[in-house]
Amino acid sequence: MTTVSAPRLSIRVRLRGVGAGLGRWVSHAGYLQKWLVLGTFIGIIAGLGAVAFYSLLRLASHVFLGLIGGYFVPQPAAEDGFLGTPNFPTWWLIPIIVCLGGLLSGAIVYLFAPEAEGHGTNAAIDAVHRNPRMIRSRAVIVKMIASAITIGSGGSGGREGPTAQISAGFGSLLARTLNLSPEDGRIAVSMGIGSGIGAIFGAPLGGAVLAAGIVYREDFEVKALVPGLISSSVGYTVWGLFQGFTPLFGYSASNYRFDQPIQLLWFAVIGVVAGLVGLAYAKSYYSIAGLSKRLQVPRMLRPAIGGLAVGLLALAVPQVLGTGYGWVQQALDRSTLMALPLWIVLVLPFAKILATSLSIGTGGSGGIFGPGIVIGGFVGSALWRLVEPLGQGMGVPLSPAPFVIVGMMACFGAIARAPLAVMLMVAEMTGTLTILGPAMVAVGIAYLMVRRTDATIYRSQLLDRTEAQSARLHIGLPLLGRVGVAEAAVSPRVLLTTDMTVSNAITRLESAFVPGAPAVDTDGRFQGTVDMAVLRKLTAADDTTIERCVDAAAPTVSDGADLGEAIDALPEGHGWLTVLDDEHRVSGILAIGDVVRAYHATLRSDERIVAQVSADSGITYIRIAPSSPLAGHTLAERGLPDGVIVLSVRRGEEALLAAGSVELCAGDLVSVLAPVNMLAAVRALLAPG
């Protein structure tokens, strides 16, 4: 039997004890204490993660493009402002290098953490909605290495995706280790997204707002904003201690003053064009990603094919290689932008879209936030080159910087469905706030254009909070918040230990007729859950333990929580979750059937209590007739006479609480509380004839 050495086991037990102790403190701490501590921890990891990935990326770029290819990409102002190598010393090596980077990246992701492919921000948003505990630590490490290789070898991608996944992964780790409530877990992961991106871009305020706005297309998670301010500020401070506090693109338009109203016309044009280019970006990326999945080649080879195509494209348009931030820096300056051929400036936005789609959409690892900013900057520079001959008399600024900055804000702010956050981030990245006023015209127009199509670059975003599973349940079933988990949970039929053999675990699960069970260590502390389907796929020897099969990210809920929190913790597709006490020990199991049973019992109890409130009131059950004026309408639209309360609506086997948004249908069984002298009138209204 495989065993764990005593020293290793002792360290694990101690760490779990520390985690359990911190978890108890967090569960009883006040709002300020909790988020000050958690926000500081997440911010420190975000800053250190950003520094670590930036250093790894610089090393990869130096090795692949620099030492092997003899080509050094331009750098933005905060990173020495190097103008880059004027041409390729050995041009034929460039496609080979980018292809090799894609091959290495694809192999690492495929072999060690397949979920790390593509752009990390989307995966982190998905974790916020589905299960804030689901981000594996292994995926974070793989994401860092694979992204550094992809981008460092010339692939077109952003460095914010890996940094967002690092800090979001730490938030996910906190959710698991401290047994955070589902709501706190979502906030922790959202904070990680915002603080990671804010740190790597040197934009703390934008990062904090991004934490609250990136998870929805048309909503704002207010509860994540204030904690996000703490984590993003700490992350930025840590980043600055190592890399300095100079804005990424320097103080690019610090002298700009909006004093010509005619410029609003040009900013409106930028908004229109940026909105259209943003839509093209999303369409191109997901089209190529879909095409890549249909290719009849091994999965790990797809990024290599994309890399080869990007390398060939770079022979004509070298600006597509890497992040592109250095080229945006050059576009901000009149002299360097005018030195570029006009056709290059005009084709750049579309070439960068194609390169990013080929690099990341085929399975390469990297972010799509950064390229979106670069694409928007290229849109602004192209428009400035076209209208520059009109001169300042027509409101065209002498410097292209205002056009480039507004293009960055409008293009990606619209397609990311986070206009306010991206506006603030770009303002911080360029060291200017004076352009925000007129820029709002461009950003507003671009956002409204994208909103009409319902498009987004982050497909894990939900429309708003009402679309989330937990929000839907709380609106329709508010009694969930009054029923304790301890009242509904049942004892587990099977409790496995991590040193149990695979064959023994399968026998135990089969005997109890259950698809899975919680697993605990030798000290009795919860480690995760084990699924029968996973065990049956193993071909290992019978004496192999189940330790490596344990899902540490499995959903859990505290025994002091209510059913609303339990539903929040239950990801889509899971039928049960484990209930834990303050010591991180298993106290029960809660399945969907248990939730429904406890809810119905509470509903029936409330009906009896309400019926006793007044001697002249009574409850009656009425089935809605097709001829009822309420059929096909919500209670908010039609309602009932004063003094009459609809307690519940039963539709087949489904029990609904009578919220104003519930639409009544013919055949619904409605329980109504009303004065005795009004019951006949209510019956005539609901079931006339």
Side-chain angles (χ1 to χ4, degrees):
M1 179 181 294
T2 303
T3 58
V4 181
S5 64
R8 180 183 172 193
L9 182 60
S10 176
I11 293 173
R12 283 189 175 184
V13 170
R14 290 177 184 176
L15 290 176
R16 289 163 189 154
V18 171
L22 287 174
R24 288 194 298 273
W25 180 85
V26 168
S27 65
H28 295 96
Y31 182 85
L32 175 61
Q33 293 173 305
K34 174 171 63 178
W35 290 116
L36 185 60
V37 172
L38 295 182
T40 300
F41 282 162
I42 293 173
I44 291 173
I45 296 300
L48 292 176
V51 171
F53 178 72
Y54 173 74
S55 302
L56 192 61
L57 177 58
R58 288 293 293 262
L59 175 63
S61 180
H62 180 74
V63 170
F64 283 100
L65 289 177
L67 296 183
I68 300 176
Y71 177 74
F72 295 90
V73 296
Q75 300 295 326
E79 298 165 16
D80 72 27
F82 176 62
L83 293 179
T85 308
N87 48 53
F88 299 130
T90 312
W91 64 267
W92 55 270
L93 272 177
I94 297 301
I96 296 175
I97 291 171
V98 187
C99 177
L100 176 62
L103 179 62
L104 292 175
S105 171
I108 291 171
V109 168
Y110 178 79
L111 294 174
F112 297 104
E115 69 267 34
E117 73 174 0
H119 53 109
T121 308
N122 202 57
I125 295 172
D126 187 47
V128 172
H129 294 307
R130 289 180 54 206
N131 181 6
R133 304 179 180 211
M134 68 186 288
I135 303 176
R136 295 195 298 167
S137 300
R138 177 192 296 182
V140 173
I141 297 173
V142 170
K143 186 73 176 179
M144 283 184 62
I145 297 173
S147 297
I149 293 174
T150 298
I151 305 170
S153 63
S156 178
R159 60 195 189 195
E160 82 294 330
T163 55
Q165 199 156 23
I166 291 170
S167 44
F170 182 69
S172 184
L173 177 63
L174 288 179
R176 294 195 299 270
T177 306
L178 305 184
N179 195 27
L180 297 182
S181 69
E183 180 178 343
D184 287 349
R186 287 195 298 271
I187 292 175
V189 176
S190 296
M191 290 164 61
I193 297 173
S195 56
I197 296 177
I200 198 74
F201 282 142
L205 180 56
V209 177
L210 190 74
I214 194 67
V215 296
Y216 298 114
R217 298 197 302 275
E218 295 183 12
D219 210 337
F220 204 76
E221 188 56 73
V222 179
K223 293 180 180 178
L225 180 58
V226 175
L229 291 171
I230 297 171
S231 63
S232 196
S233 177
V234 172
Y236 170 66
T237 302
V238 173
W239 165 266
L241 289 174
F242 289 90
Q243 302 297 332
F245 295 94
T246 303
L248 181 63
F249 298 114
Y251 297 92
S252 307
S254 56
N255 296 324
Y256 174 77
R257 297 292 181 271
F258 175 65
D259 52 15
Q260 290 183 278
I262 193 175
Q263 288 185 353
L264 288 181
L265 174 63
W266 297 122
F267 290 141
V269 173
I270 293 175
V272 173
V273 177
L276 293 173
V277 172
L279 290 172
Y281 181 29
K283 179 70 173 177
S284 171
Y285 177 82
Y286 286 107
S287 295
I288 290 180
L291 179 63
S292 171
K293 292 178 181 178
R294 293 194 294 270
L295 289 178
Q296 300 300 312
V297 297
R299 186 174 174 180
M300 69 170 62
L301 294 181
R302 295 170 187 168
I305 297 173
L308 178 62
V310 172
L312 293 172
L313 176 63
L315 297 180
V317 189
Q319 291 83 358
V320 301
L321 292 176
T323 62
Y325 302 149
W327 290 108
V328 171
Q329 185 72 60
Q330 296 188 26
L332 288 163
D333 181 75
R334 179 185 178 90
S335 59
T336 51
L337 179 59
M338 292 297 290
L340 290 174
L342 179 60
W343 75 269
I344 285 283
V345 177
L346 295 179
V347 81
L348 267 178
F350 308 101
K352 190 64 175 176
I353 287 175
L354 180 59
T356 305
S357 303
L358 289 168
S359 295
I360 312 302
T362 56
S365 190
I368 57 176
F369 190 118
I373 295 289
V374 172
I375 291 164
F378 288 161
V379 168
S381 63
L383 287 173
W384 183 85
R385 280 291 299 268
L386 289 176
V387 302
E388 186 272 338
L390 297 178
Q392 293 178 274
M394 291 296 294
V396 180
L398 183 63
S399 168
F403 275 43
V404 175
I405 293 171
V406 173
M408 288 192 282
M409 293 176 175
C411 182
F412 197 72
I415 199 59
R417 307 302 286 270
L420 179 59
V422 174
M423 280 183 68
L424 292 173
M425 292 190 77
V426 172
E428 292 176 286
M429 291 160 63
T430 54
T432 178
L433 295 174
T434 57
I435 204 169
L436 284 177
M440 289 190 291
V441 172
V443 175
I445 291 174
Y447 177 77
L448 291 175
M449 290 179 61
V450 171
R451 186 178 182 274
R452 288 185 59 193
T453 67
D454 203 35
T456 175
I457 198 69
Y458 296 124
R459 290 191 171 178
S460 291
Q461 290 174 325
L462 296 181
L463 179 65
D464 51 33
R465 282 170 289 179
T466 61
E467 189 177 341
Q469 180 186 20
S470 59
R472 290 200 305 269
L473 286 167
H474 282 136
I475 290 173
L477 304 173
L479 286 183
L480 288 173
R482 290 177 41 202
V483 185
V485 164
E487 300 175 45
V490 298
S491 298
R493 297 184 190 177
V494 178
L495 193 61
L496 306 175
T497 56
T498 52
D499 61 354
M500 183 179 292
T501 64
V502 171
S503 58
N504 190 12
I506 292 176
T507 301
R508 293 281 305 278
L509 294 175
E510 288 177 340
S511 299
F513 300 101
V514 291
V520 298
D521 61 13
T522 54
D523 195 41
R525 297 188 188 278
F526 177 76
Q527 299 300 297
T529 61
V530 177
D531 188 84
M532 173 73 86
V534 175
L535 293 178
R536 284 177 170 162
K537 290 179 181 179
L538 294 179
T539 57
D542 289 344
D543 64 348
T544 300
T545 66
I546 64 171
E547 184 177 16
R548 67 189 183 94
C549 308
V550 174
D551 179 10
T556 65
V557 68
S558 167
D559 58 4
D562 56 52
L563 291 187
E565 294 177 82
I567 292 297
D568 282 350
L570 202 59
E572 185 177 348
H574 283 68
W576 62 281
L577 75 171
T578 309
V579 182
L580 303 178
D581 63 14
D582 287 344
E583 299 292 332
H584 218 61
R585 301 178 189 275
V586 177
S587 64
I589 294 294
L590 188 68
I592 292 294
D594 301 320
V595 174
V596 174
R597 184 167 53 254
Y599 184 84
H600 285 177
T602 303
L603 187 60
R604 289 192 297 269
S605 175
D606 276 13
E607 288 181 351
R608 288 193 297 270
I609 293 172
V610 171
Q612 297 169 5
V613 170
S614 174
D616 64 348
S617 297
I619 293 179
T620 185
Y621 293 87
I622 306 171
R623 194 169 297 280
I624 302 292
S627 57
S628 170
L630 273 70
H633 297 278
T634 66
L635 288 171
E637 291 174 336
R638 294 296 174 91
L640 291 171
D642 292 340
V644 178
I645 301 173
V646 176
L647 299 175
S648 68
V649 179
R650 185 175 295 278
R651 183 170 299 155
E653 297 298 320
E654 185 179 10
L656 306 174
L657 198 73
S661 59
V662 172
E663 181 178 314
L664 299 178
C665 300
D668 288 349
L669 184 63
V670 179
S671 60
V672 179
L673 172 68
V676 173
N677 60 0
M678 296 183 65
L679 289 178
V682 172
R683 186 177 295 277
L685 179 65
L686 299 179

